[in-house]
Amino acid sequence: MSIKYVASSKLPTPWGVFDMHGFEDNETHKEHVALTFGELDDNTPILGRVHSECLTGDALFSLRCDCGFQLQTAMQHIAEAGQGFILYLRQEGRGIGLLNKIRAYELQDKGANTVEANEQLGFEADQRQYNMILPMMQKINVNSVRLMTNNPRKVKAMKSLGIEVVERIPLQVGKNRYNEHYLKTKSTELGHIMSEYHFSDKDE
Ligand SMILES: Nc1nc2c(ncn2[C@@H]2O[C@H](COP(=O)(O)OP(=O)(O)OP(=O)(O)O)[C@@H](O)[C@H]2O)c(=O)[nH]1
Ligand SMILES: [Zn+2]
């Protein structure tokens, strides 16, 4: 894998003005983005989030998942803290791509859960890779992190790359009647820690 830094600019948002840094993966030709806020001092653990692309949740206001809510809340927390970063990784649909995610949603509309739908399409439940994180973090000068995530496997993947994750900060936002079953499946099948949520027993 070869990640090339391309350019940086300002990104004004409702929560404050971030700096946006663009990267290109020369193997997959995916274009990834890092957002930073404030001065990043590499001696202190930095509040951050590694967010996987979800066009439907992040841009189209979908209530099927929690992605958009997590992204907005993370940006808000970072702005409030005055310092932090977001890595926005272009691995849509846990790595299967947008059109396959829509295929998976079609199966979920017919009763499959999020894991079964991926498997019925011949994919693993989660096909994401995280190797691009390291060169991106090196470029933005962060090596120690307080990570906003409910996914312990993401923490493990980052630690195995040599990144110090000093704290996992839960990011349990956006539960609604359309994603309750999905969030419960993430907790029971994919290992996400959703302890702040109370799930009803119906639907199982
Ligand atoms: N294949 C598939 N991908 C989905 C589905 N719902 C969300 N995604 C994708 O899942 C990715 C986000 O992963 P999640 O499992 O929601 O969360 P996470 O990144 O592992 O963990 P957090 O840091 O807690 O958000 C994004 O790429 C979404 O596009 C689904 O039903 N099927
Ligand atoms: Zn989503």
Side-chain angles (χ1 to χ4, degrees):
M1 154 164 313
S2 164
I3 296 287
K4 187 177 139 212
Y5 164 73
V6 178
S8 296
S9 74
K10 295 286 178 199
L11 185 74
T13 75
W15 305 280
V17 180
F18 286 73
D19 291 297
M20 176 165 64
H21 316 277
F23 297 83
E24 184 180 8
D25 183 330
N26 288 331
E27 263 171 38
T28 62
H29 301 290
K30 295 280 185 194
E31 298 170 326
H32 303 294
V33 166
L35 300 182
T36 56
F37 194 92
E39 288 300 313
L40 300 189
D41 168 2
D42 63 356
N43 291 321
T44 50
I46 305 291
L47 181 66
R49 168 150 181 85
V50 172
H51 191 89
S52 300
E53 178 178 13
C54 177
L55 182 94
T56 46
D58 299 338
L60 299 178
F61 315 104
S62 172
L63 298 179
R64 290 192 79 123
C65 61
D66 51 349
C67 305
F69 302 98
Q70 289 183 306
L71 181 60
Q72 292 194 20
T73 303
M75 290 176 77
Q76 183 189 339
H77 286 337
I78 287 166
E80 283 167 2
Q83 189 190 45
F85 73 94
I86 306 252
L87 300 190
Y88 193 90
L89 305 178
R90 308 295 299 284
Q91 34 192 4
E92 171 64 67
R94 287 191 217 106
I96 67 174
L98 176 63
L99 299 184
N100 285 323
K101 188 174 82 169
I102 297 174
R103 288 190 177 100
Y105 278 166
E106 195 173 63
L107 293 171
Q108 289 172 63
D109 287 345
K110 293 176 184 153
N113 70 30
T114 182
V115 170
E116 292 161 350
N118 264 35
E119 289 172 354
Q120 284 175 25
L121 292 169
F123 299 114
E124 290 167 31
D126 190 344
Q127 303 214 152
R128 284 175 291 178
Q129 308 241 322
Y130 293 106
N131 324 15
M132 71 293 261
I133 292 178
L134 189 60
M136 292 176 74
M137 302 256 302
Q138 284 167 343
K139 176 66 188 173
I140 63 172
N141 207 23
V142 174
N143 56 34
S144 179
V145 182
R146 296 167 56 232
L147 191 72
M148 291 180 273
T149 181
N150 305 322
N151 184 352
R153 281 176 303 124
K154 198 181 277 181
V155 174
K156 206 171 156 204
M158 289 176 70
K159 285 183 174 169
S160 73
L161 291 168
I163 297 160
E164 195 182 7
V165 184
V166 299
E167 186 183 357
R168 184 188 68 80
I169 299 171
L171 197 55
Q172 297 177 30
V173 287
K175 175 168 165 278
N176 63 70
R177 67 193 171 103
Y178 298 101
N179 68 14
E180 181 170 3
H181 181 63
Y182 162 81
L183 293 176
K184 190 172 180 181
T185 304
K186 285 212 296 190
S187 131
T188 56
E189 307 281 321
L190 291 169
H192 289 238
I193 298 169
M194 302 281 191
S195 48
E196 288 171 30
Y197 285 143
H198 297 285
F199 295 110
S200 59
D201 287 333
K202 66 179 171 57
D203 271 332
E204 276 303 283

